[in-house]
Amino acid sequence: MTVKIITIDGPSGSGKGTLAAKLAAHYQFHLLDSGALYRLLGLSLHKQGLLEEIDSHLDHCAEIATNLDIQFVTTPNETQILLDGEDVTQTIRTERVGEFASKVAAIPVLRTALFERQRAFAQAPGLVADGRDMATSIFPEAPAKIYLTASAQSRAERRVKQLQGMGLDVKINDILANIEARDKRDMEREVAPLRPAADALIIDSSELNIDEVFNLMTQYIDKQLAK
Ligand code: DC
């Protein structure tokens, strides 16, 4: 039986994570949150005092990436993420760990070390793979490829709402500057830069709500998976 793969790529804040989880639940497919793998690797290297020394310990860091002890424990309400048996579900979502992730994500041998690990998520009946290079590097054979984007301004507004909801006092201009800097880094890096695959469906969610995006996606996916 062939494993049906749906890739969802795009910049941070486009709503990818929410939609990928919704699609996985809808199709009863497995879910790969590849950003979480980069976050976990960044956190692990930081804990071992290696984050600032990656270049001089490349082989050792790649070995750590290959053998990272990670568990995704899924319950009906949430997915708990364990690193070396420790619950790091919240920790890996912080801006700080996002910075660690962005650093390791720019290093080719570490991306290569995570390649097989990501491919291993492709199990029957199917997989929704969320990331930056799912369609262009990891699963180029996927029958359904979606690139979800939104303007930097609308992504900043969503992030401000989310952070304010958590009781944090944030300024839109700071958030916008962060988003623009991260986009630039993700799109301009030499290895696996963020860009849509030639055959991807591009959706701009700036003016759409989650349900509208979800409907556009399922229409496209149903058509692609029926081929
Ligand atoms: O999607 P996220 O914010 O959890 O991603 C964290 C970092 O990892 C971000 O800097 C982009 C990078 N990343 C990547 O390079 N390739 C992926 N497939 C997923 C994430």
Side-chain angles (χ1 to χ4, degrees), residues 207-221:
E207 307 289 331
L208 302 174
N209 66 34
I210 299 262
D211 289 338
E212 289 168 328
V213 177
F214 181 75
N215 289 338
L216 285 176
M217 287 184 168
T218 52
Q219 274 169 28
Y220 162 76
I221 293 166

Side-chain angles (χ1 to χ4, degrees), residues 114-176:
L114 291 178
F115 181 84
E116 286 304 333
R117 185 144 211 155
Q118 295 175 81
R119 293 278 311 174
F121 276 78
Q123 294 198 8
L127 174 71
V128 179
D130 160 3
R132 304 290 194 288
D133 62 341
M134 296 298 98
T136 52
S137 311
I138 312 293
F139 300 110
E141 77 279 25
K145 302 186 176 89
I146 297 171
Y147 187 85
L148 182 63
T149 187
S151 68
Q153 179 68 30
S154 67
R155 286 183 284 135
E157 284 167 11
R158 286 176 196 161
R159 183 85 180 130
V160 165
K161 262 196 206 146
Q162 197 182 32
L163 293 171
Q164 283 171 344
M166 292 161 69
L168 298 173
D169 178 25
V170 286
K171 293 194 181 60
I172 180 107
N173 284 344
D174 295 343
I175 302 285
L176 185 59

Side-chain angles (χ1 to χ4, degrees), residues 51-221:
L51 197 64
E52 306 304 326
E53 321 260 320
I54 298 175
D55 289 338
S56 42
H57 297 92
L58 267 186
D59 289 348
H60 183 40
C61 291
E63 205 180 301
I64 291 173
T66 310
N67 297 309
L68 219 47
D69 175 9
I70 305 171
Q71 282 170 273
F72 291 88
V73 184
T74 304
T75 62
N77 296 326
E78 58 153 15
T79 297
Q80 248 189 0
I81 302 178
L82 311 183
L83 175 63
D84 298 321
E86 185 194 339
D87 184 351
V88 294
T89 317
Q90 309 289 336
T91 315
I92 61 159
R93 299 300 164 198
T94 58
E95 288 294 315
R96 185 157 175 260
V97 177
E99 288 301 316
F100 298 166
S102 165
K103 189 160 182 179
V104 302
I107 300 177
V109 293
L110 298 184
R111 298 194 74 90
T112 305
L114 291 178
F115 181 84
E116 286 304 333
R117 185 144 211 155
Q118 295 175 81
R119 293 278 311 174
F121 276 78
Q123 294 198 8
L127 174 71
V128 179
D130 160 3
R132 304 290 194 288
D133 62 341
M134 296 298 98
T136 52
S137 311
I138 312 293
F139 300 110
E141 77 279 25
K145 302 186 176 89
I146 297 171
Y147 187 85
L148 182 63
T149 187
S151 68
Q153 179 68 30
S154 67
R155 286 183 284 135
E157 284 167 11
R158 286 176 196 161
R159 183 85 180 130
V160 165
K161 262 196 206 146
Q162 197 182 32
L163 293 171
Q164 283 171 344
M166 292 161 69
L168 298 173
D169 178 25
V170 286
K171 293 194 181 60
I172 180 107
N173 284 344
D174 295 343
I175 302 285
L176 185 59
N178 267 343
I179 285 181
E180 285 173 342
R182 192 175 293 190
D183 281 359
K184 189 164 153 55
R185 207 163 38 200
D186 283 347
M187 288 174 188
E188 291 180 0
R189 72 173 174 227
E190 274 178 32
V191 52
L194 173 64
R195 60 176 170 80
D199 54 347
L201 170 74
I202 300 178
I203 299 178
D204 185 328
S205 73
S206 307
E207 307 289 331
L208 302 174
N209 66 34
I210 299 262
D211 289 338
E212 289 168 328
V213 177
F214 181 75
N215 289 338
L216 285 176
M217 287 184 168
T218 52
Q219 274 169 28
Y220 162 76
I221 293 166

